Amino acid sequence: MKEVFIKIKKQSKVNENGETVSEYLIMAQDNEGKITPLIRMDKEGLQAYARFISEYAENERKEGGAQ
């Protein structure tokens, strides 16, 4: 059975104003080591995504669909 894990990598870069900003790269990695980049976002986007996943998981648990 193929398993997939989610990894988050923080990357810092300098923007056009000379400010250092952080981006977060969300990746999927399977148990064979293959990494697939999924999405890149800033901290606020990552926090909103985390809230969405948490709410989704809670709804799945309530409906009995989460394993």
Side-chain angles (χ1 to χ4, degrees), residues 3-48:
E3 293 181 325
V4 177
F5 305 92
I6 299 297
K7 295 184 165 264
I8 300 174
K9 180 178 179 183
K10 181 179 179 181
Q11 299 176 325
S12 296
K13 67 176 188 174
V14 178
N15 68 12
E16 62 275 355
N17 297 329
E19 303 166 329
T20 301
V21 295
S22 295
E23 289 184 332
Y24 298 85
L25 177 61
I26 299 177
M27 303 170 284
Q29 181 175 3
D30 65 21
N31 55 346
E32 297 171 353
K34 180 182 175 194
I35 296 175
T36 304
L38 300 175
I39 191 167
R40 183 182 312 268
M41 59 184 69
D42 62 11
K43 184 177 181 179
E44 291 78 15
L46 181 63
Q47 290 170 336

